Amino acid sequence: MVAHATDRPEKGGEVVVTEGVKDLSLRANWRTIAITLYMGISLFEYGFDKGAIAGFQAMPGFLQIFGYQNPNGSWNIHSGPQQIISSFMILGAIIGALLTGPVGSYLGRRHSMMMASLLVIIAIMLMAITTSFGALYFSRLLCGIGNGFLLNFSMVYLQESAPPHMRGLCFGVVTSWITIGTTVGMVINKETAGMMSREAYRIPLYACFPAPAILFLTLPFLHESPRWLLHHGRPEEALASLRFLRKGAYDEVAVQQEFEEMKAIAAREAETQADWRLIFELFRGTNLRRTIICVGVGTANAGVGAMFILAFGTYFFKTAEVGDPFLWTIISNCVGLAGLMLTWVFVGRVGRRHLIIIGCALCTVCMIVMAALYTNNGLSRHNAGIGLIVTTSVYLFGFNFGLEPYVYLVAGELPAQNLRAYTMGLASGVSFIFGWLTAFTTPYFINKAELNWGPKYGYIWFVSGLIVTAFVYFMLPEVRGRTLEEIDEMFRNKVATRDFPKYVCVEIEEARERAIMNTRAFAKEGSIEEKHISAHVENADNKV
């Protein structure tokens, strides 16, 4: 699909070109697809760590070093180390997320990801060689910080680099690597779990190395985000980066128009604080509305009880006594991956708002169905277990179909440009905090020695899910196909949520007009070599 130049009648019926040529096809935008897959490497590492490390505490090879042996010969681990191993990873991710803004402002997106990759490599090496609890705890914290950086900076880079019509698809594709990484980690764990040596957990750790190593070695060759370069006083590099990203899909007129939009926003934001005090801008004026939406939608994952399902699904499958719980975990995870891939077809047509609402609603319904299954005393244990497996699979389908990719998308595309990394870091940081609270408190509700609610805990998450769904419905605007600069203008002009799709951005139209004038000037100086671009510009000049 090609978006041709828009012609506008002038005096005497003459025509002046006012819009560049954009080829919207996937083939023409292959560079964006390639960068999306490349960014997926960082999220594969995040997902792999999640899937692999979680299984270490069930491996005799790991427990021989960090656990103890029961009188009957089985292996176990004390609750203290168990909590620290899990919580330090989340604590590190929270720290990494909250530092995304200031670190990214200083280092940029590319160098921040290089630093994060190095942190992950060091953490993996420590985990592989240490037999000390202190070093193990430190490595988990370090790994969490690195993964927090990788998650956020890869998302921010895509936000600032992808063309408007492809942002939703790019996020659907890139976040699928989290689920793919988690599944691969689980499969490797399943194959090595029976080894009665340290290699049981070291082999999965060795498999963690390639992703951060590839990133660290190749990121120096990647163009920095054009918007970051522009906001840091490097316009020539920013334009060169934008031309590289749009080559083959946009003509020079379209590139100049997008660049003019970016310049207008950069000039407006140049007067704001450029140091750590910038974080206070998140809570001032029209930015407060954006922050509330981004944080609110960002915590939707936790709000529909995702950590309850993800962290304790295997436990419930085990208590259901319907087969291998690890196998059912892998199968339900694959169902979730199918839901994620299905969104690639719908996000460009339906938009992220409707997908998020559908995802929230589906997860909320699954919670009450799961609770009801275990409240019905007339249902056999076996049938309840089968129902639990089906409900969990449907939940993960809905979660990946509408929530997992697009809460990150929203948290990155709604903020002001100079606050994007700060806002996304805050949103994911708060989400991590709620996820940690869920993981920490859930055992009190489901443990047989405590309240012993089991799956009936879903009643609480049903109510929470209703609140999340209502928040998204009333607060989240639809911005499908809009540039980041158009979104910024609509928020500054306090456009109502329901009016976003039909709003006409005047400032952006003016920026595009300026780009036409700039391109004419460049063409006269012979700086534009593309014949079809020169033809557009010369035609415009002859008819003005």
Side-chain angles (χ1 to χ4, degrees):
M1 177 181 179
V2 178
H4 291 286
T6 301
D7 297 337
R8 184 183 67 190
E10 296 288 344
K11 294 180 180 179
E14 296 173 338
V15 174
V16 177
V17 177
T18 61
E19 189 74 26
V21 178
K22 301 176 183 178
D23 190 336
L24 307 183
S25 67
L26 294 179
R27 182 176 180 179
N29 288 274
W30 69 267
R31 290 177 184 242
T32 299
I33 295 295
I35 289 174
T36 299
L37 296 175
Y38 177 73
M39 288 295 149
I41 297 174
S42 65
L43 299 187
F44 177 87
E45 156 58 31
Y46 173 75
F48 187 97
D49 183 272
K50 224 174 29 168
I53 306 300
F56 286 2
Q57 297 168 45
M59 293 181 176
F62 180 82
L63 297 175
Q64 287 173 2
I65 307 299
F66 299 103
Y68 63 92
Q69 191 171 24
N70 293 314
N72 62 3
S74 63
W75 291 89
N76 208 340
I77 186 172
H78 291 292
S79 59
Q82 187 178 36
Q83 285 182 319
I84 294 175
I85 290 170
S86 302
S87 62
F88 268 39
M89 170 64 177
I90 300 176
L91 176 62
I94 293 170
I95 294 172
L98 296 179
L99 289 178
T100 297
V103 170
S105 178
Y106 181 73
L107 291 180
R109 312 327 185 194
R110 188 173 50 130
H111 288 101
S112 295
M113 290 182 67
M114 289 177 63
M115 180 187 69
S117 301
L118 185 59
L119 290 177
V120 172
I121 290 172
I122 294 172
I124 293 172
M125 291 175 61
L126 274 176
M127 280 187 281
I129 65 177
T130 189
T131 58
S132 163
F133 278 105
L136 177 64
Y137 300 156
F138 177 72
S139 67
R140 297 306 296 148
L141 182 68
L142 207 61
C143 192
I145 294 173
N147 276 310
F149 280 148
L150 285 176
L151 175 69
N152 284 283
F153 282 117
S154 58
M155 298 289 191
V156 170
Y157 185 92
L158 272 182
Q159 293 282 5
E160 297 177 347
S161 303
H165 72 283
M166 291 188 66
R167 279 202 311 272
L169 175 62
C170 288
F171 269 71
V173 171
V174 78
T175 50
S176 67
W177 286 96
I178 298 177
T179 308
I180 292 172
T182 301
T183 305
V184 171
M186 290 176 176
V187 170
I188 293 177
N189 270 6
K190 183 174 172 59
E191 295 301 315
T192 65
M195 295 181 178
M196 297 300 292
S197 69
R198 294 181 65 191
E199 300 309 308
Y201 70 92
R202 293 175 80 175
I203 289 175
L205 284 175
Y206 298 148
C208 281
F209 268 113
I214 290 171
L215 288 172
F216 184 76
L217 294 174
T218 57
L219 277 167
F221 303 100
L222 181 70
H223 282 258
E224 181 56 88
S225 155
R227 287 179 170 87
W228 185 89
L229 290 168
L230 186 59
H231 278 256
H232 286 76
R234 297 155 67 178
E236 295 83 7
E237 295 176 62
L239 183 55
S241 176
L242 186 63
R243 281 179 176 145
F244 170 81
L245 292 168
R246 302 292 184 264
K247 186 175 181 179
Y250 284 31
D251 69 3
E252 183 65 19
V253 178
V255 170
Q256 288 289 338
Q257 287 179 321
E258 186 172 1
F259 190 61
E260 279 297 321
E261 296 176 34
M262 292 162 53
K263 282 170 61 179
I265 300 299
R268 178 178 294 105
E269 295 179 350
E271 299 178 1
T272 59
Q273 297 288 347
D275 55 23
W276 63 271
R277 290 171 291 180
L278 191 63
I279 195 170
F280 295 112
E281 294 295 324
L282 292 172
F283 312 102
R284 294 173 180 163
T286 57
N287 289 325
L288 177 61
R289 178 188 177 194
R290 307 190 209 198
T291 302
I292 291 173
I293 295 174
C294 292
V295 173
V297 175
T299 55
N301 286 354
V304 296
M307 187 56 69
F308 168 51
I309 297 295
L310 296 174
F312 299 96
T314 306
Y315 169 80
F316 286 134
F317 289 157
K318 184 178 180 180
T319 58
E321 298 177 359
V322 286
D324 186 350
F326 292 97
L327 179 61
W328 283 119
T329 300
I330 293 172
I331 292 173
S332 61
N333 212 53
C334 290
V335 172
L337 180 60
L340 184 64
M341 291 181 173
L342 189 62
T343 64
W344 302 355
V345 179
F346 289 98
V347 66
R349 298 175 173 85
V350 178
R352 60 275 280 138
R353 180 176 185 271
H354 291 97
L355 289 181
I356 293 176
I357 291 174
I358 291 171
C360 288
L362 194 56
C363 289
T364 302
V365 171
C366 285
M367 281 297 184
I368 196 168
V369 170
M370 180 176 64
L373 285 173
Y374 278 79
T375 304
N376 185 357
N377 296 326
L379 198 64
S380 70
R381 185 181 183 87
H382 178 77
N383 289 338
I386 295 296
L388 175 65
I389 291 172
V390 173
T391 305
T392 301
S393 298
V394 174
Y395 178 97
L396 290 175
F397 179 91
F399 177 74
N400 285 281
F401 180 80
L403 285 169
E404 178 74 350
Y406 305 116
V407 294
Y408 296 113
L409 175 60
V410 167
E413 67 183 354
L414 300 191
Q417 171 60 33
N418 61 341
L419 298 175
R420 182 161 291 111
Y422 286 89
T423 309
M424 190 161 186
L426 178 64
S428 59
V430 172
S431 179
F432 279 129
I433 290 171
F434 277 102
W436 174 79
L437 285 173
T438 301
F440 190 79
T441 59
T442 294
Y444 175 76
F445 289 92
I446 67 174
N447 196 288
K448 292 182 179 180
E450 302 294 343
L451 291 179
N452 192 25
W453 287 10
K456 288 185 285 187
Y457 187 37
Y459 282 124
I460 290 179
W461 292 113
F462 170 70
V463 176
S464 176
L466 289 178
I467 296 172
V468 169
T469 306
F471 176 88
V472 173
Y473 181 83
F474 290 107
M475 294 293 292
L476 179 63
E478 178 57 67
V479 293
R480 174 170 56 99
R482 296 284 194 169
T483 67
L484 299 179
E485 288 70 28
E486 286 178 303
I487 296 170
D488 181 79
E489 181 179 336
M490 288 188 283
F491 272 108
R492 283 188 290 104
N493 291 338
K494 301 179 181 179
V495 178
T497 299
R498 65 180 180 277
D499 294 333
F500 267 65
K502 59 186 178 183
Y503 186 81
V504 177
C505 297
V506 178
E507 296 176 20
I508 299 306
E509 292 299 322
E510 292 173 350
R512 291 169 181 167
E513 291 289 341
R514 289 196 300 272
I516 293 293
M517 302 303 295
N518 292 343
T519 313
R520 290 198 197 107
F522 295 153
K524 289 178 180 178
E525 294 171 3
S527 61
I528 299 177
E529 298 178 358
E530 291 87 344
K531 292 181 180 179
H532 68 284
I533 297 172
S534 298
H536 280 317
V537 176
E538 288 169 7
N539 182 53
D541 278 330
N542 292 334
K543 294 185 177 183
V544 170

